[in-house]
Amino acid sequence: MGKTEYDAIVVGSGPNGLAAAITLQQAGCSVLLIEGKDTLGGGMRSETLTLPGFTHDVCSAIHPLAIASPFFSKLPLEKHGLRYILPDIAAAHPLEDGSEAFLDMSLDVTAHALRHDEQAYRNLIKPVADMWPDLAEDVLGPLSIPRHPMAMARFGIHALRSAKAISRRFSTPQGKGLWAGMAAHGIQPLSNLSSAAIGLVLMANAHLKGWPVPVGGSQSIANALVSYFKSLGGTIQTGFFVNSLRDLPSSKAVLLDVTPRQLLQIAGHTFSSLYTWQLQRYRYGMGVFKIDWALNGPVPFTAPACRIAGTVHLGNTFDEIAQSEYETSTGRHADKPFVLLAQQSVFDPTRAPAGHHTAWAYCHVPHGSTRDMTEVIEKQVERFAPGFRDRIMARHTMNTVQMHEHNPNYIGGDINGGVIDLGQLFTRPALRLSPYRTSAKGIYICSSSTPPGGGVHGMCGFHAARRALSDIF
C-alpha cells in the first residue's frame, strides 16, 4: 500500500471510537478521529438541559463498566482530569410495601440485608466477583477460546440462563426485586436466555470497584479520553458527518463507531452481498424515553437506602418488572414501566446550584415510540417518593426519535446498538471469524453493535483496533 495521509481514521467519538483511536495511536499509528458534532463523547455528553447551573447527563450517567473496563482502567485518565465519586450504595430497590433491597459496595452488607436470601445472594454473586479479574477480558470481548476456561464455564452456567430462571434462587420479594432491576439493564424480556449475564456482571462489579459517578458529568470521561488521545499525538476533526468513504482522507484502515444501518450507508458499496445481507437482518431493540429534572431538593424517597444510592430501580416486584419488559418488547407501552433513576447531584455538588438537585431517569418503550411517557414515569417515581412532583422546577424530555436525532447510533431509541440476546450476543453484527472485520479489506466496525455490546467500557473499540493492528500494521 502506498503512502497515505493517515495510518488509520476512526469515525465517531463515543467510548468505543475513542478507545479504538487511543489503541491505534498507542501502537505508533497516525490517527485521525472524526466526530459529526462539535462536542466529542457520543453517549458520554453532559449539557445544561433544564435551567442555568444544572448539569445533566444526556445519555450515560453511572459507569460501573467504565471503572471496571480492562482497557480504560489501564489509562492514566486521572492525570487528564477524570475524578470518580463512589457511592457506598451503588443501587437501591424500593418495594411498594415500604421495604427495600440495596446493592452496597460490601458484598457482606448487601447479602446480610437480604436476610432470608443472604446465602442465595452469596452463592450467586461471590463466585463471579472472585473470578472477575480472570473473566473480564473474556466476558467483555468476542467469542474465543477463554484464557481461564474453568472460570468462564462456571460463569456461563448462570450467565446463559434467563433472569427469570435465576430469580427462583431467591425466596423473598426483596431478593427477587433487586435481581430483576439488575437484569433489566439488558433491555430485553427477562425470560430470554442469557438475560442473566448483565445482572451478574453489574452486581459483581459493584462489590469490586463500585458504580462511580464522574465529577462534573459523563462528559468528564470523554474529555479525559480526548485529552489523553491528544497527548499521544492524535488528530481530531469535529463538525464533520461522514456520509461516504469518499469523504475521508486516504488511510490504511477505517474504523467506524456506527451501527450496521450507518455502516451500510457509508461503506455498503464495498461489501459482499452476503455481508450486506447479514447487516440488513441485524435486529435493533427497545427504545428509551428519558427525562431530566431540575429539583429544589433531593428526591424524597420513603425507603432510606434510596436517598443515598447513586442509582434507584423503580419497578416493585420481579413479576411487575418482568411483565413491563415483556409488554414493551411486544410493542406495548407499560402502565407501570421499569424506571432507572440516577441522582448524581446527591454525591457531586457541581451538578446543581447549592440546595438544589438534578435527577435523571428513563423507561423502556417500544422501538421508535413517540409517546410522551412523562406522566407515567413521574407517577412511578411518586409511587416510591411521595411529594416528588412538588420538587420539580423544570424538566427536559427525549423520546426515541429525539434520542436518535441526538445520536445516530441510537436507532429507534435503542441505546445498546442492537438487541443483546442469545442470537446477537456473540454474532453481532454478523456471523464472522472476527466480528470487527467487514467484508472489505481495511474497513472495520468498532461500535456497540459488536461484542461485548452496549455500555461505557470501550472494549468494542479496543478489540476492533487490535484486529486492525494485527491485520494491517
Side-chain angles (χ1 to χ4, degrees):
M1 184 178 291
K3 184 173 177 57
T4 58
E5 294 175 71
Y6 296 94
D7 291 323
I9 295 173
V10 177
V11 177
S13 69
N16 292 306
L18 282 163
I22 288 170
T23 301
L24 291 162
Q25 194 73 36
Q26 284 177 326
C29 297
S30 61
V31 181
L32 170 64
L33 175 64
I34 297 176
E35 168 56 45
K37 292 186 175 289
D38 294 329
T39 304
L40 292 100
M44 302 179 292
R45 293 191 179 98
S46 303
E47 298 177 10
T48 303
L49 299 175
T50 56
L51 299 173
F54 291 82
T55 300
H56 303 277
D57 292 327
V58 181
C59 186
S60 64
I62 307 292
H63 300 87
L65 294 182
I67 198 170
S69 166
F71 178 63
F72 286 162
S73 62
K74 294 175 183 175
L75 303 182
L77 299 183
E78 67 285 349
K79 295 181 180 178
H80 292 266
L82 179 60
R83 287 196 300 124
Y84 283 128
I85 298 171
L86 292 171
D88 286 337
I89 296 180
H93 189 107
L95 278 80
E96 202 166 38
D97 63 5
S99 64
E100 64 181 336
F102 56 85
L103 184 66
D104 192 275
M105 283 191 68
S106 165
L107 190 149
D108 290 336
V109 170
T110 303
H112 185 68
L114 289 173
R115 302 178 66 184
H116 296 299
D117 277 327
E118 177 175 358
Q119 197 57 47
Y121 186 84
R122 291 183 186 278
N123 292 344
L124 180 65
I125 302 302
K126 190 175 187 304
V128 182
D130 290 344
M131 295 185 298
W132 184 252
D134 292 335
L135 286 171
E137 292 199 28
D138 288 326
V139 173
L140 298 177
L143 184 63
S144 61
I145 299 173
R147 297 168 179 78
H148 301 275
M150 293 303 295
M152 193 65 172
R154 289 184 66 189
F155 175 74
I157 288 172
H158 296 312
L160 293 178
R161 298 180 69 191
S162 72
K164 182 177 181 179
I166 295 294
S167 73
R168 300 188 186 107
R169 299 171 68 95
F170 298 102
S171 61
T172 67
Q174 294 76 21
K176 289 178 180 288
L178 182 65
W179 169 248
M182 298 297 156
H185 279 258
I187 317 183
Q188 59 179 305
L190 303 190
S191 56
N192 280 6
L193 290 176
S194 78
S195 58
I198 186 66
L200 295 173
V201 171
L202 291 177
M203 284 177 148
N205 277 286
H207 302 315
L208 294 172
K209 295 190 176 181
W211 287 17
V213 176
V215 175
S218 297
Q219 188 71 53
S220 300
I221 303 176
N223 292 346
L225 290 166
V226 169
S227 175
Y228 178 58
F229 175 62
K230 287 181 176 178
S231 75
L232 297 173
T235 304
I236 293 172
Q237 182 176 357
T238 58
F240 174 28
F241 274 100
V242 176
N243 296 307
S244 170
L245 292 176
R246 301 180 185 92
D247 299 336
L248 300 176
S250 59
S251 66
K252 298 180 178 69
V254 176
L255 289 81
L256 297 145
D257 184 4
V258 300
T259 77
R261 185 174 299 180
Q262 299 112 289
L263 184 64
L264 284 169
Q265 293 169 351
I266 294 170
H269 62 283
T270 68
F271 297 154
S272 69
S273 58
L274 175 60
Y275 187 64
T276 297
W277 176 76
Q278 288 181 298
L279 294 183
Q280 289 171 338
R281 289 171 56 86
Y282 188 75
R283 293 176 293 116
Y284 297 91
M286 295 185 273
V288 301
F289 183 95
K290 179 174 176 288
I291 305 182
D292 289 281
W293 295 281
L295 306 173
N296 61 14
V299 181
F301 286 111
T302 301
C306 293
R307 299 180 206 137
I308 55 173
T311 300
V312 182
H313 293 156
L314 304 175
N316 200 28
T317 64
F318 180 93
D319 289 341
E320 190 175 307
I321 293 172
Q323 180 63 27
S324 73
E325 294 299 280
Y326 172 75
E327 288 179 5
T328 305
S329 72
T330 59
R332 292 175 287 169
H333 293 81
D335 293 331
K336 294 181 178 180
F338 171 64
V339 173
L340 291 95
L341 185 146
Q343 41 192 11
Q344 304 94 314
S345 62
V346 171
F347 311 95
D348 179 7
T350 70
R351 305 296 185 99
H356 296 74
H357 284 274
T358 62
W360 169 109
Y362 71 76
C363 74
H364 302 149
V365 293
H367 184 89
S369 166
T370 56
R371 179 177 295 186
D372 187 343
M373 299 292 285
T374 301
E375 176 65 22
V376 175
I377 290 177
E378 291 184 354
K379 185 178 179 180
Q380 190 76 319
V381 179
E382 186 86 15
R383 180 183 178 191
F384 301 98
F388 167 70
R389 285 193 179 102
D390 296 335
R391 300 196 174 183
I392 298 174
M393 300 170 63
R395 65 174 62 82
H396 177 275
T397 65
M398 297 176 75
N399 63 26
T400 67
V401 174
Q402 292 163 327
M403 292 289 288
H404 188 186
E405 289 173 350
H406 175 78
N407 188 329
N409 277 4
Y410 299 156
I411 306 293
D414 179 354
I415 59 175
N416 264 344
V419 178
I420 311 182
D421 60 8
L422 194 60
Q424 288 190 164
L425 186 60
F426 293 112
T427 60
R428 53 198 297 119
L431 181 60
R432 297 179 63 77
L433 190 60
S434 170
Y436 312 103
R437 285 186 186 133
T438 69
S439 62
K441 185 177 180 180
I443 302 175
Y444 299 83
I445 177 171
C446 65
S447 71
S448 59
S449 296
T450 64
V456 177
H457 45 65
M459 295 303 290
C460 307
F462 168 74
H463 287 298
R466 290 290 298 270
R467 172 47 56 193
L469 288 168
S470 176
D471 290 347
I472 298 175
F473 300 104

